[in-house]
């Protein structure tokens, strides 16, 4: 573990995805998106706050014209379990009508956030909407959802780092950790 950050983590933690593995997988996702969206100039919409680091790294692996925007929703409050109520904190500024939209999430657990976003975007007549998530928790799904590009499937445990928080902290860790 990077000594610089060891004081930020609780005593019981383990690294599950290293910086190098994240970088490699994002390269692969970027290549797939570049190929599929060639000449389509997609609008890539990051879901704040969790996806900000993933979004920044992902778009630098996308070698085609694209635009970016952000939306901010929250469901967790300061707990480790989702409240189930999604709140829109900041809407997008762009017009998605007739455009190809790619929504970038940090992690999908129950699927409620994705479902909320899908309903919201499809109501604005985009040409297409696809979802990319760095992480998907196995066995966490409560509602039906479909993710088009998945970075890693992980077990149903609480993770932090690389943008993901616990009570707003630990987003600045460069790798992904399970904490207890
Ligand atoms: P869902 O709506 O239950 O699918 O939860 C998705 C959102 O909850 C994500 O965008 C994250 O912000 C947050 N979340 C879910 N699991 C975790 C976790 O293990 N660590 C940190 N945030 C999480
Ligand atoms: Mg979060």
């Amino acid at each position: 573990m990077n000594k610089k950050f060891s004081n930020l983590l609780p005593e019981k933690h383990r690294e599950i995805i290293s910086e190098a593995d994240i970088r490699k997988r994002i390269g692969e996702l970027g290549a797939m998106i570049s190929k599929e969206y060639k000449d389509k100039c997609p609008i890539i919409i990051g879901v704040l706050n969790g996806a900000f680091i993933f979004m920044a790294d992902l778009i630098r692996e996308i070698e085609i014209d694209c635009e970016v925007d952000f939306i901010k929703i929250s469901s967790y409050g300061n707990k480790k379990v989702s409240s189930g109520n999604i709140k829109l904190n900041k809407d997008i500024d762009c017009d998605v009508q007739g455009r190809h939209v790619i929504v970038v999430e940090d992690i999908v657990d129950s699927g409620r956030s994705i479902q909320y976003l899908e309903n919201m975007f499809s109501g604005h007549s985009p040409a297409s909407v696809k979802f990319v998530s760095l992480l998907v928790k196995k066995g966490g799904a409560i509602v039906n959802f479909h993710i088009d590009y998945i970075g890693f499937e992980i077990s149903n445990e609480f993770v932090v780092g690389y943008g993901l928080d616990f009570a707003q902290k630990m987003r600045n860790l460069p790798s992904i950790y399970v904490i207890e």
Side-chain angles (χ1 to χ4, degrees):
M1 146 104 206
N2 191 335
K3 269 218 180 89
K4 218 166 108 185
F5 293 98
S6 54
N7 59 324
L8 303 187
L9 281 154
E11 200 181 323
K12 285 202 169 171
H13 68 264
R14 61 176 203 281
E15 185 186 85
I16 58 160
I17 310 172
S18 69
E19 280 184 81
D21 288 347
I22 295 170
R23 199 175 314 120
K24 179 164 175 276
R25 185 65 185 137
I26 292 178
E28 293 166 359
L29 295 173
M32 285 188 261
I33 292 170
S34 304
K35 198 169 153 205
E36 183 165 341
Y37 286 88
K38 193 170 178 286
D39 303 320
K40 288 186 173 161
C41 191
I43 305 181
I44 304 181
I45 299 178
V47 183
L48 296 171
N49 289 336
F52 77 113
I53 296 178
F54 175 42
M55 174 89 169
D57 285 346
L58 179 65
I59 63 161
R60 284 177 291 176
E61 296 292 338
I62 295 178
E63 299 177 57
I64 53 165
D65 268 331
C66 62
E67 297 173 22
V68 304
D69 201 348
F70 292 92
I71 188 166
K72 183 167 179 173
I73 58 173
S74 56
S75 64
Y76 266 56
N78 281 346
K79 299 189 193 75
K80 283 187 185 173
V81 182
S82 171
S83 68
N85 301 317
I86 314 279
K87 188 171 152 230
L88 179 66
N89 298 312
K90 180 218 168 290
D91 205 348
I92 50 169
D93 294 313
C94 62
D95 182 4
V96 300
Q97 190 179 353
R99 300 292 304 272
H100 295 280
V101 172
I102 305 175
V103 182
V104 179
E105 262 281 23
D106 52 352
I107 185 165
V108 179
D109 183 6
S110 70
R112 286 195 188 100
S113 304
I114 290 286
Q115 191 185 54
Y116 174 92
L117 293 166
E118 178 149 43
N119 289 339
M120 195 182 137
F121 288 121
S122 43
H124 290 94
S125 316
S128 68
V129 184
K130 287 203 175 185
F131 287 88
V132 41
S133 187
L134 179 64
L135 306 172
V136 174
K137 279 190 189 176
K138 274 185 235 157
I142 291 176
V143 299
N144 277 330
F145 60 84
H146 175 74
I147 309 294
D148 303 278
Y149 305 96
I150 296 174
F152 302 91
E153 276 202 309
I154 61 167
S155 57
N156 204 346
E157 294 175 284
F158 196 81
V159 293
V160 295
Y162 197 75
L164 290 132
D165 70 301
F166 172 52
Q168 299 305 327
K169 298 205 175 73
M170 295 187 260
R171 295 191 196 274
N172 49 333
L173 299 167
S175 337
I176 294 170
Y177 298 86
V178 165
I179 58 168
E180 282 167 29

